[in-house]
Amino acid sequence: MKNRHLILLLPIWLFSCTNDFDGQIPNQEEQTNAVLKMKTNSINSNLSTIVRQLVTAYQLNNGSTPNTLSQKIILLEEIANENADFVHIKPVNFSVPTVWEAHENLTNYNTVYTNLNVSVKVKNYFNLLLEQNINLNIVESYIKDDVQLNASEKELLVFIVNCIEDHSENGDNDWKKKMIVAAATGYEVSTAATVFNVALLRIYN
């Protein structure tokens, strides 16, 4: 009789233990989100670092020497090809933007911004980043937790946030819009193009 009671109670005990166990371990979705956050932080920190390296190297080599846009692109490409981190992310078929493409991003940025090929959700974040006195830390947290964004969209958005943070006083609205355009148009091609576009914007202004 005692054994029979134990057998009857066993399923209840197992069920209870399972519930307790489940409560202690994050579910698959939580684990996936945590991993994505870590990867996003790591990737964007690295990309932002490469931008700073390229800009610093350009300024050290060329200072405030007045160069045409074409000359700036050529000089920046030479510096980028000497940067091991940039070479590591550069695809085999990588090419720098043409003078016309760069000029469009730098001068006709309002039109380019309007026509960016991004989702409505991403565009909403872009518009939010253009607001005055926006708390970038809060926006970045929202981006990382937003389940409606895919990994690539999060990578792009967090990178843009980091670049705006790197700029003194976070830049005015026109500068931030140029930053978004440079990063977003580059991201359509590759992460290397994103880094190059943003670095070019930094040395152009």
Side-chain angles (χ1 to χ4, degrees):
M1 179 67 70
K2 184 181 292 185
N3 290 338
R4 182 177 298 174
H5 284 305
L6 288 174
I7 292 172
L8 290 173
L9 289 171
L10 186 59
I12 298 174
W13 179 79
L14 286 173
F15 179 76
S16 175
C17 289
T18 301
N19 284 345
D20 291 341
F21 189 66
D22 287 343
Q24 295 171 5
I25 296 183
N27 60 38
Q28 186 64 39
E29 183 178 355
E30 290 172 339
Q31 291 177 348
T32 301
N33 288 339
V35 170
L36 284 175
K37 279 187 182 181
M38 291 175 62
K39 287 183 177 179
T40 301
N41 288 340
S42 176
I43 291 171
N44 283 287
S45 175
N46 184 48
L47 295 181
S48 299
T49 299
I50 299 173
V51 170
R52 288 193 293 270
Q53 290 172 349
L54 298 185
V55 173
T56 300
Y58 182 95
Q59 291 171 340
L60 288 173
N61 283 291
N62 301 284
S64 57
T65 304
N67 297 306
T68 65
L69 178 56
S70 176
Q71 290 172 322
K72 288 179 184 292
I73 293 173
I74 292 171
L75 291 171
L76 183 60
E77 182 180 18
E78 291 175 358
I79 289 169
N81 287 332
E82 294 175 357
N83 183 291
D85 292 329
F86 182 84
V87 172
H88 179 70
I89 65 170
K90 184 177 73 169
V92 176
N93 60 344
F94 176 78
S95 60
V96 299
T98 65
V99 174
W100 182 86
E101 290 169 335
H103 187 266
E104 280 292 288
N105 288 348
L106 293 166
T107 61
N108 196 26
Y109 54 90
N110 282 313
T111 300
V112 179
Y113 180 86
T114 300
N115 297 318
L116 285 174
N117 184 27
V118 294
S119 68
V120 173
K121 189 74 174 180
V122 170
K123 194 61 172 291
N124 287 340
Y125 275 110
F126 286 170
N127 292 333
L128 180 62
L129 288 170
L130 294 176
E131 294 290 334
Q132 293 290 343
N133 303 317
I134 191 72
N135 188 315
L136 295 174
N137 290 328
I138 293 177
V139 175
E140 183 174 349
S141 178
Y142 284 158
I143 291 168
K144 291 176 180 177
D145 291 335
D146 196 330
V147 296
Q148 296 181 28
L149 295 171
N150 61 41
S152 295
E153 290 172 331
K154 289 184 179 184
E155 181 184 55
L156 172 61
L157 286 166
V158 173
F159 172 72
I160 290 172
V161 171
N162 291 342
C163 289
I164 293 174
E165 286 177 326
D166 280 348
H167 195 269
S168 59
E169 299 179 358
N170 297 332
D172 58 24
N173 270 24
D174 285 338
W175 187 89
K176 287 195 289 186
K177 187 173 283 188
K178 291 178 186 178
M179 171 66 69
I180 292 170
V181 165
T185 54
Y187 204 80
E188 292 179 4
V189 181
S190 66
T191 52
T194 306
V195 168
F196 192 93
N197 282 6
V198 172
L200 181 62
L201 169 64
R202 293 278 296 271
I203 66 173
Y204 182 81
N205 283 356

